[in-house]
Amino acid sequence: MIASSDTPPDLQSVGFLLRRPREGDADVRLRLGRHPDIYRMFGAGRSFPGLFGHGEADAWVTRIAEHPAAWIIDQDGLVGEVRLDNINRADRRANFAIGIFDPDRLGKGLGTAVIKRVLAYAFDELALHRVSLRVLAFNERAIAAYLKSGFSIEGRERESALIDGEWHDDIMMGILAADFDTRRNAPRKRVT
């Protein structure tokens, strides 16, 4: 795969790499499949198919490769994806999305670290002013990671998602460049 000026760079961090697709990623994505608990947090119902076919895995890799600001989360191999969607250069804003597909990687701080790394890229390299997202209100793990990363809760869209015959709210969250800089430059608490 040849990089172009529209291709986002790989983003290195401690313990993980955010990278572009490479040979073999479709096979790994196929093996990760759709874990029902993870996909419920994305808004899928119980009837959502757990199987993930070869065509879907190939399409997923192609979508990441063609996206202007999407990366594969690599922690000793592919474990998820992260994206800045709908980048608006005039208003200097974008939407954020992350998905970790490996249930063994959840609850260990990876999501929070990835969020912070992508926000640093968004504010420092892309010169964005604002990044926003929406998350299902029952996805408490994701909300906690977003709050730890500096996002603020800005609102609630009531009964916006119908999942398995029940209505659920979406939480609207956002972070401004100044908020991120303030958190990044804040003195660290010492552990004694």
Side-chain angles (χ1 to χ4, degrees):
M1 185 171 305
I2 298 172
S4 73
S5 61
D6 294 334
T7 302
D10 287 351
L11 303 177
Q12 183 71 49
S13 195
V14 176
F16 66 90
L17 171 67
L18 304 180
R19 63 170 176 79
R20 306 302 298 151
R22 63 180 176 218
E23 189 70 32
D25 283 340
D27 292 332
V28 176
R29 182 65 189 94
L30 183 66
R31 283 192 300 274
L32 286 170
R34 291 188 183 104
H35 190 279
D37 294 336
I38 291 173
Y39 270 75
R40 176 159 170 69
M41 295 303 133
F42 299 162
R46 286 184 291 276
S47 62
F48 195 74
L51 298 176
F52 198 77
H54 287 282
E56 290 171 292
D58 290 337
W60 179 83
V61 169
T62 299
R63 183 177 53 79
I64 297 293
E66 293 175 352
H67 195 288
W71 298 268
I72 286 173
I73 303 169
D74 189 323
Q75 188 181 50
D76 301 321
L78 185 161
V79 299
E81 72 172 286
V82 62
R83 304 183 314 272
L84 289 169
D85 290 326
N86 305 314
I87 297 174
N88 181 323
R89 301 278 184 188
D91 291 333
R92 296 176 39 211
R93 62 187 163 103
N95 296 328
F96 181 86
I98 184 173
I100 297 176
F101 309 128
D102 183 346
D104 294 335
R105 307 297 171 125
L106 298 175
K108 298 179 179 173
L110 176 61
T112 301
V114 168
I115 293 164
K116 289 178 181 179
R117 181 64 185 96
V118 172
L119 289 176
Y121 176 77
F123 296 133
D124 297 343
E125 304 301 318
L126 299 180
L128 296 182
H129 173 70
R130 173 185 174 76
V131 175
S132 58
L133 61 88
R134 61 189 301 139
V135 59
L136 287 162
F138 62 75
N139 192 344
E140 295 173 4
R141 183 189 335 252
I143 293 169
Y146 297 137
L147 290 170
K148 283 183 207 171
S149 301
F151 280 89
S152 296
I153 295 174
E154 298 178 334
R156 176 180 292 265
E157 189 173 21
R158 297 180 310 138
E159 297 186 2
S160 57
L162 183 61
I163 303 168
D164 291 328
E166 293 182 34
W167 289 105
H168 297 277
D169 298 351
D170 270 324
I171 302 297
M172 315 313 249
M173 301 181 79
I175 184 170
L176 304 178
D179 299 334
F180 188 70
D181 286 342
T182 298
R183 290 181 60 88
R184 183 171 30 188
N185 297 326
R188 308 262 174 187
K189 293 182 181 178
R190 287 191 184 170
V191 178
T192 55

